[in-house]
Amino acid sequence: MGRSRRTLPEELLLLALDPATGTTAQPQSLDLGLAGAQLVELALAGRIAPDGDRIAVVVPRPTGDPTLDCALELLRRRGAPVRAVHWIGGPRLGLRQTYLSHLERCGMVAAVPGQMCGVLPTTRYQATDTAISREIRARLDSAIRTGVPPDPRTAALAALAHAVGLGKHLYPGNEGRSSRSRLRDLIRHDPMGGLVAHAVMDVQNGAAAQPRRSPGPAGRQAAAGGRPAQEPARGVPMQPHRGSMVRAVAH
């Protein structure tokens, strides 16, 4: 993959960056959205493909983007297709900062040090080339305004923006209500983007549990009066161990 094209995680982060405050809108859900955007970008690059509600690696060849390739390698190591909600719901410590630092190195944003309450050090990020952010926003505006089906990349970006709650940031107030509604509707124009966007929303809503299975021997023993076996909490995404995944994705 060449570096002439911005990746979906980069575009989603630029959309979320507030030019007035230098902070990102919806920071918690944005982390989920960035993990989802990586999946869509890998799918657009032909490296992964949807398999029902799961993600399968079809071409393990690196893309040339270090952060995407970390995600691709982690998916490959799983060996079997991974449910999108479990991947997106896994630990993503440092992913947003990784992309902010990348955008800074590329000259798209500038880090502005500051202090909170005059004591705690903080860092804000200001876009250095507002034309890039305007171009990204214009693609969404055009798809919303014209009703013409957008290209898969723009459709996926719209789906992710809706999934992480950027609608009110991009189209605020009562006057933006119809635009927010159309932004949500764009989710149907890209199957992979739709799958990932719904997974992001499912993780936020706590609806990422695996389908319930019939009780096995341990379950029947518990029903017969034995001590109930420990089970994962329903509605909570299965979390991988906080080891290699966090380090690999964050760096």
Side-chain angles (χ1 to χ4, degrees), residues 12-13 16 23-36 88-96 163-166 200-201 203-204:
L12 183 65
L13 188 52
T23 60
T24 53
Q26 304 294 332
Q28 293 181 339
S29 57
L30 182 60
D31 289 341
L32 301 176
L34 290 173
I88 291 170
R92 289 295 178 271
L93 185 64
L95 188 58
R96 180 161 31 104
V164 302
L166 290 184
V200 169
M201 291 185 285
V203 172
Q204 294 180 83

Side-chain angles (χ1 to χ4, degrees), residues 87-132:
W87 172 260
I88 291 170
R92 289 295 178 271
L93 185 64
L95 188 58
R96 180 161 31 104
Q97 185 58 50
T98 294
Y99 275 108
L100 281 169
S101 298
H102 169 73
L103 290 177
E104 183 183 10
R105 288 193 301 271
C106 292
M108 295 187 199
V109 302
V112 181
Q115 288 184 331
M116 180 183 297
C117 301
V119 179
L120 299 176
T122 62
T123 303
R124 297 182 295 112
Y125 291 88
Q126 297 289 345
T128 56
D129 188 349
T130 56
I132 295 176

Side-chain angles (χ1 to χ4, degrees), residues 138-187:
R139 282 163 42 209
L140 288 186
D141 290 345
S142 177
I144 287 173
R145 183 178 64 254
T146 65
V148 176
D151 62 276
R153 180 174 293 274
T154 301
L157 180 62
L160 288 163
H162 167 70
V164 302
L166 290 184
K168 291 184 178 180
H169 168 70
L170 298 171
Y171 306 103
N174 289 332
E175 63 275 15
R177 183 178 301 172
S178 61
S179 293
R180 294 195 298 270
S181 178
R182 294 193 199 95
L183 181 71
R184 180 194 62 220
D185 292 343
L186 290 175
I187 200 170

Side-chain angles (χ1 to χ4, degrees), residues 10-23:
E10 294 164 8
E11 292 194 331
L12 183 65
L13 188 52
L14 286 171
L15 272 182
L17 195 62
D18 190 320
T21 65
T23 60

